[in-house]
Amino acid sequence: MTHTAPPQPPVPAPEQQTLNQQLEELPITKHLMILRQHLFKIVGILLILFLCLLPFANSSYQLLSEPLRAQLPTSSSMIATDVAATFMAPFKLNFFVALMIAMPFIMYQLWSFVKPALYEKERFLALPLLVGSIVLFYAGIAFAYFIALPSILHFFISVSPETVAPMTDINSYLAFCLKLFLVFGITFEIPIVTLILILIGVVSTQTLVEKRRFIIVGCFFVAMFVTPPDALSMLMLAIPMWLLFELGLFFGKMLEKRHHA
Protein backbone atom coordinates (compact mmCIF):
# COMPACT_ATOMS: atom_id res chain seq x y z
CA MET A 1 0.00 0.00 0.00
CA THR A 2 1.43 3.32 -1.05
CA HIS A 3 1.36 6.16 1.47
CA THR A 4 1.35 9.71 0.19
CA ALA A 5 2.86 12.44 2.29
CA PRO A 6 0.40 15.07 3.58
CA PRO A 7 0.51 18.38 1.71
CA GLN A 8 2.99 20.81 3.18
CA PRO A 9 2.10 24.49 3.71
CA PRO A 10 3.76 26.87 1.27
CA VAL A 11 7.15 28.10 2.41
CA PRO A 12 7.35 31.88 2.42
CA ALA A 13 10.07 33.66 0.54
CA PRO A 14 13.42 33.75 2.39
CA GLU A 15 13.33 37.51 2.94
CA GLN A 16 9.76 37.46 4.25
CA GLN A 17 10.50 34.40 6.40
CA THR A 18 13.49 36.15 7.94
CA LEU A 19 11.41 39.28 8.53
CA ASN A 20 8.66 37.28 10.22
CA GLN A 21 11.20 35.58 12.47
CA GLN A 22 12.71 38.92 13.43
CA LEU A 23 9.30 40.39 14.26
CA GLU A 24 8.37 37.35 16.34
CA GLU A 25 11.65 37.50 18.22
CA LEU A 26 11.23 41.17 19.18
CA PRO A 27 9.58 41.54 22.59
CA ILE A 28 7.03 44.27 23.23
CA THR A 29 9.62 46.27 25.18
CA LYS A 30 11.84 46.36 22.09
CA HIS A 31 8.97 47.71 19.99
CA LEU A 32 8.34 50.38 22.61
CA MET A 33 12.01 51.34 22.62
CA ILE A 34 11.96 51.72 18.83
CA LEU A 35 8.78 53.79 19.07
CA ARG A 36 10.42 55.97 21.71
CA GLN A 37 13.33 56.66 19.38
CA HIS A 38 10.95 57.85 16.67
CA LEU A 39 9.03 60.00 19.17
CA PHE A 40 12.27 61.59 20.35
CA LYS A 41 13.07 62.52 16.74
CA ILE A 42 9.60 64.03 16.32
CA VAL A 43 9.90 66.08 19.52
CA GLY A 44 13.40 67.17 18.52
CA ILE A 45 12.38 68.46 15.09
CA LEU A 46 9.35 70.22 16.60
CA LEU A 47 11.55 71.96 19.16
CA ILE A 48 14.08 73.03 16.52
CA LEU A 49 11.38 74.38 14.20
CA PHE A 50 9.62 76.14 17.07
CA LEU A 51 12.81 77.91 18.16
CA CYS A 52 13.71 78.85 14.58
CA LEU A 53 10.25 80.28 13.93
CA LEU A 54 9.96 82.09 17.26
CA PRO A 55 11.52 85.38 16.01
CA PHE A 56 8.84 85.44 13.29
CA ALA A 57 5.90 84.70 15.63
CA ASN A 58 4.42 88.21 15.40
CA SER A 59 4.79 88.23 11.62
CA SER A 60 3.03 84.87 11.45
CA TYR A 61 0.13 86.26 13.44
CA GLN A 62 -0.03 89.31 11.20
CA LEU A 63 -0.33 86.96 8.22
CA LEU A 64 -3.03 84.93 9.95
CA SER A 65 -5.03 88.02 10.91
CA GLU A 66 -4.83 89.53 7.42
CA PRO A 67 -8.20 88.04 6.27
CA LEU A 68 -9.92 89.59 9.31
CA ARG A 69 -8.17 92.96 9.14
CA ALA A 70 -9.12 93.21 5.47
CA GLN A 71 -12.80 92.88 6.41
CA LEU A 72 -12.85 95.20 9.44
CA PRO A 73 -14.01 98.80 9.06
CA THR A 74 -11.30 101.45 9.25
CA SER A 75 -12.51 102.48 12.70
CA SER A 76 -12.17 98.94 14.10
CA SER A 77 -9.18 96.86 15.11
CA MET A 78 -8.30 93.66 16.90
CA ILE A 79 -8.10 93.79 20.69
CA ALA A 80 -6.49 91.85 23.54
CA THR A 81 -8.68 91.29 26.61
CA ASP A 82 -5.91 89.55 28.54
CA VAL A 83 -2.55 91.01 29.58
CA ALA A 84 -0.61 87.99 28.27
CA ALA A 85 -2.70 87.59 25.10
CA THR A 86 -0.32 89.62 22.94
CA PHE A 87 2.43 87.14 23.81
CA MET A 88 0.50 83.87 24.10
CA ALA A 89 -1.47 84.12 20.85
CA PRO A 90 1.62 84.38 18.57
CA PHE A 91 3.32 81.78 20.81
CA LYS A 92 0.50 79.26 20.25
CA LEU A 93 0.38 80.01 16.53
CA ASN A 94 4.14 79.51 16.30
CA PHE A 95 3.79 75.99 17.69
CA PHE A 96 0.96 75.24 15.26
CA VAL A 97 3.06 76.43 12.30
CA ALA A 98 6.00 74.31 13.48
CA LEU A 99 3.68 71.30 13.72
CA MET A 100 2.36 71.86 10.20
CA ILE A 101 5.85 72.23 8.72
CA ALA A 102 7.02 69.10 10.52
CA MET A 103 4.02 67.02 9.44
CA PRO A 104 5.84 65.22 6.57
CA PHE A 105 8.69 64.32 8.93
CA ILE A 106 6.22 63.13 11.59
CA MET A 107 4.37 60.95 9.09
CA TYR A 108 7.69 59.57 7.83
CA GLN A 109 8.72 58.57 11.35
CA LEU A 110 5.40 56.80 11.91
CA TRP A 111 5.81 55.12 8.52
CA SER A 112 9.32 53.98 9.46
CA PHE A 113 7.94 52.42 12.65
CA VAL A 114 5.20 50.36 10.96
CA LYS A 115 7.08 49.59 7.72
CA PRO A 116 8.87 46.42 8.97
CA ALA A 117 5.52 44.83 9.82
CA LEU A 118 4.10 45.33 6.31
CA TYR A 119 4.29 42.97 3.36
CA GLU A 120 5.72 44.16 0.07
CA LYS A 121 2.26 44.70 -1.45
CA GLU A 122 1.13 46.63 1.62
CA ARG A 123 4.21 48.84 1.45
CA PHE A 124 3.51 49.56 -2.21
CA LEU A 125 0.01 50.81 -1.35
CA ALA A 126 0.81 52.45 2.00
CA LEU A 127 3.47 54.86 0.71
CA PRO A 128 1.22 56.58 -1.89
CA LEU A 129 -1.56 56.78 0.72
CA LEU A 130 0.87 58.36 3.18
CA VAL A 131 2.03 60.97 0.67
CA GLY A 132 -1.54 61.60 -0.43
CA SER A 133 -2.73 62.14 3.13
CA ILE A 134 -0.04 64.79 3.72
CA VAL A 135 -0.84 66.61 0.47
CA LEU A 136 -4.58 66.54 1.17
CA PHE A 137 -4.08 67.82 4.72
CA TYR A 138 -2.12 70.82 3.44
CA ALA A 139 -4.71 71.34 0.71
CA GLY A 140 -7.45 71.45 3.35
CA ILE A 141 -5.61 74.11 5.36
CA ALA A 142 -4.94 76.15 2.20
CA PHE A 143 -8.63 75.92 1.23
CA ALA A 144 -9.62 77.07 4.72
CA TYR A 145 -7.23 80.05 4.72
CA PHE A 146 -7.67 81.34 1.16
CA ILE A 147 -11.34 80.53 0.50
CA ALA A 148 -13.37 79.53 3.55
CA LEU A 149 -11.98 81.96 6.15
CA PRO A 150 -12.36 85.20 4.10
CA SER A 151 -15.88 84.21 3.02
CA ILE A 152 -17.01 83.34 6.55
CA LEU A 153 -15.50 86.53 8.04
CA HIS A 154 -17.08 88.66 5.33
CA PHE A 155 -20.47 87.11 6.05
CA PHE A 156 -20.26 87.65 9.81
CA ILE A 157 -19.06 91.24 9.54
CA SER A 158 -21.56 92.18 6.83
CA VAL A 159 -24.54 91.02 8.92
CA SER A 160 -23.43 92.80 12.10
CA PRO A 161 -25.61 95.76 13.17
CA GLU A 162 -24.48 99.19 12.06
CA THR A 163 -24.35 100.40 15.66
CA VAL A 164 -21.90 97.65 16.64
CA ALA A 165 -18.20 98.05 15.88
CA PRO A 166 -16.67 94.57 15.38
CA MET A 167 -13.50 94.21 17.46
CA THR A 168 -12.30 90.62 17.77
CA ASP A 169 -10.10 89.38 20.60
CA ILE A 170 -6.85 87.96 19.25
CA ASN A 171 -7.09 84.77 21.33
CA SER A 172 -10.65 84.13 20.18
CA TYR A 173 -9.68 84.71 16.57
CA LEU A 174 -6.70 82.34 16.88
CA ALA A 175 -8.87 79.59 18.37
CA PHE A 176 -11.45 80.11 15.63
CA CYS A 177 -8.83 79.87 12.86
CA LEU A 178 -7.03 76.84 14.27
CA LYS A 179 -10.32 74.99 14.68
CA LEU A 180 -11.25 75.86 11.10
CA PHE A 181 -7.85 74.72 9.78
CA LEU A 182 -7.97 71.41 11.64
CA VAL A 183 -11.56 70.72 10.57
CA PHE A 184 -10.78 71.31 6.89
CA GLY A 185 -7.43 69.52 7.10
CA ILE A 186 -9.05 66.42 8.57
CA THR A 187 -12.02 66.67 6.20
CA PHE A 188 -9.73 66.58 3.18
CA GLU A 189 -8.53 63.14 4.34
CA ILE A 190 -11.89 61.63 3.31
CA PRO A 191 -10.54 60.13 0.02
CA ILE A 192 -7.73 58.41 1.93
CA VAL A 193 -10.13 57.04 4.56
CA THR A 194 -12.48 55.83 1.84
CA LEU A 195 -9.67 54.04 0.01
CA ILE A 196 -8.38 52.40 3.19
CA LEU A 197 -11.84 51.11 4.08
CA ILE A 198 -12.18 49.65 0.58
CA LEU A 199 -8.68 48.14 0.61
CA ILE A 200 -9.09 46.35 3.95
CA GLY A 201 -12.48 45.03 2.94
CA VAL A 202 -14.65 46.89 5.43
CA VAL A 203 -16.87 48.23 2.64
CA SER A 204 -17.10 47.81 -1.12
CA THR A 205 -17.63 50.46 -3.75
CA GLN A 206 -21.02 48.94 -4.51
CA THR A 207 -22.07 49.40 -0.87
CA LEU A 208 -20.88 53.01 -0.91
CA VAL A 209 -22.82 53.69 -4.12
CA GLU A 210 -25.96 52.23 -2.57
CA LYS A 211 -25.51 54.31 0.60
CA ARG A 212 -24.50 57.50 -1.25
CA ARG A 213 -27.64 59.46 -0.32
CA PHE A 214 -27.13 58.71 3.37
CA ILE A 215 -23.46 59.66 3.16
CA ILE A 216 -24.34 63.01 1.56
CA VAL A 217 -26.84 63.72 4.34
CA GLY A 218 -24.14 62.71 6.85
CA CYS A 219 -21.73 65.23 5.31
CA PHE A 220 -24.20 68.06 5.89
CA PHE A 221 -25.00 66.74 9.36
CA VAL A 222 -21.33 66.70 10.40
CA ALA A 223 -20.67 70.10 8.83
CA MET A 224 -23.57 71.57 10.78
CA PHE A 225 -21.93 70.66 14.10
CA VAL A 226 -18.24 71.39 13.41
CA THR A 227 -18.59 74.75 11.66
CA PRO A 228 -19.84 78.13 12.93
CA PRO A 229 -23.64 78.40 13.17
CA ASP A 230 -24.34 79.77 9.70
CA ALA A 231 -25.43 78.21 6.41
CA LEU A 232 -22.42 79.49 4.46
CA SER A 233 -19.88 77.75 6.70
CA MET A 234 -21.88 74.53 6.59
CA LEU A 235 -22.07 74.56 2.78
CA MET A 236 -18.37 75.38 2.40
CA LEU A 237 -17.50 72.27 4.40
CA ALA A 238 -20.29 69.87 3.40
CA ILE A 239 -19.88 70.30 -0.37
CA PRO A 240 -16.10 69.61 -0.33
CA MET A 241 -16.75 66.60 1.94
CA TRP A 242 -19.19 65.22 -0.61
CA LEU A 243 -16.85 65.86 -3.56
CA LEU A 244 -13.90 64.32 -1.71
CA PHE A 245 -15.98 61.23 -0.94
CA GLU A 246 -16.78 60.94 -4.65
CA LEU A 247 -13.06 61.26 -5.42
CA GLY A 248 -12.21 58.45 -2.99
CA LEU A 249 -15.01 56.32 -4.45
CA PHE A 250 -13.68 56.90 -7.97
CA PHE A 251 -10.16 55.74 -7.07
CA GLY A 252 -11.66 52.87 -5.07
CA LYS A 253 -13.44 51.62 -8.20
CA MET A 254 -10.16 51.81 -10.12
CA LEU A 255 -8.41 49.75 -7.44
CA GLU A 256 -11.16 47.14 -7.46
CA LYS A 257 -10.98 46.82 -11.24
CA ARG A 258 -7.21 46.44 -11.05
CA HIS A 259 -7.57 43.81 -8.30
CA HIS A 260 -10.04 41.74 -10.30
CA ALA A 261 -8.14 42.10 -13.57
Side-chain angles (χ1 to χ4, degrees):
M1 186 174 183
T2 305
H3 296 280
T4 58
Q8 299 295 325
V11 180
E15 294 182 0
Q16 188 61 49
Q17 189 175 12
T18 303
L19 177 60
N20 291 339
Q21 291 175 353
Q22 292 175 350
L23 291 174
E24 291 175 358
E25 292 172 359
L26 286 177
I28 186 64
T29 53
K30 185 64 175 178
H31 287 291
L32 293 176
M33 290 177 63
I34 296 174
L35 178 61
R36 186 179 63 178
Q37 293 175 0
H38 290 293
L39 292 177
F40 279 159
K41 292 178 181 179
I42 292 173
V43 173
I45 195 67
L46 281 175
L47 183 60
I48 292 173
L49 285 173
F50 178 81
L51 293 176
C52 291
L53 293 171
L54 199 56
F56 310 99
N58 289 330
S59 300
S60 299
Y61 197 92
Q62 290 293 323
L63 184 63
L64 178 68
S65 62
E66 175 60 29
L68 176 61
R69 290 185 288 109
Q71 302 291 339
L72 289 174
T74 54
S75 58
S76 298
S77 62
M78 300 184 70
I79 61 174
T81 58
D82 186 15
V83 175
T86 54
F87 170 76
M88 291 303 300
F91 189 84
K92 294 175 184 177
L93 177 62
N94 191 68
F95 177 77
F96 180 80
V97 173
L99 183 63
M100 293 302 99
I101 294 176
M103 190 59 67
F105 180 81
I106 294 172
M107 298 300 292
Y108 174 76
Q109 291 300 318
L110 297 177
W111 159 255
S112 299
F113 176 69
V114 301
K115 181 180 178 181
L118 300 177
Y119 292 99
E120 191 64 31
K121 182 180 179 180
E122 293 172 334
R123 295 181 189 178
F124 176 76
L125 292 173
L127 188 56
L129 291 176
L130 176 67
V131 175
S133 65
I134 296 173
V135 173
L136 286 172
F137 187 77
Y138 283 141
I141 294 178
F143 181 87
Y145 178 78
F146 290 106
I147 299 178
L149 183 61
S151 301
I152 294 171
L153 292 175
H154 177 74
F155 172 79
F156 281 135
I157 293 176
S158 63
V159 298
S160 62
E162 294 182 359
T163 56
V164 177
M167 293 184 179
T168 305
D169 177 64
I170 59 175
N171 265 330
S172 300
Y173 178 72
L174 176 63
F176 174 81
C177 290
L178 295 188
K179 177 186 175 182
L180 197 70
F181 293 160
L182 289 175
V183 166
F184 276 87
I186 294 173
T187 297
F188 271 58
E189 299 294 326
I190 288 178
I192 302 297
V193 175
T194 305
L195 283 175
I196 291 175
L197 292 177
I198 294 172
L199 288 172
I200 64 179
V202 174
V203 294
S204 64
T205 56
Q206 183 61 33
T207 302
L208 293 176
V209 170
E210 294 173 354
K211 304 295 184 182
R212 177 186 272 126
R213 67 182 67 179
F214 301 105
I215 294 174
I216 294 174
V217 173
C219 291
F220 283 87
F221 184 79
V222 172
M224 180 176 62
F225 281 96
V226 300
T227 57
D230 65 286
L232 178 63
S233 302
M234 182 184 71
L235 290 174
M236 296 195 73
L237 180 62
I239 293 176
M241 287 176 69
W242 173 27
L243 297 177
L244 290 165
F245 161 74
E246 297 291 345
L247 180 64
L249 183 60
F250 172 76
F251 284 110
K253 290 179 179 179
M254 294 180 60
L255 286 175
E256 284 189 345
K257 289 180 180 179
R258 181 177 177 182
H259 178 73
H260 292 107

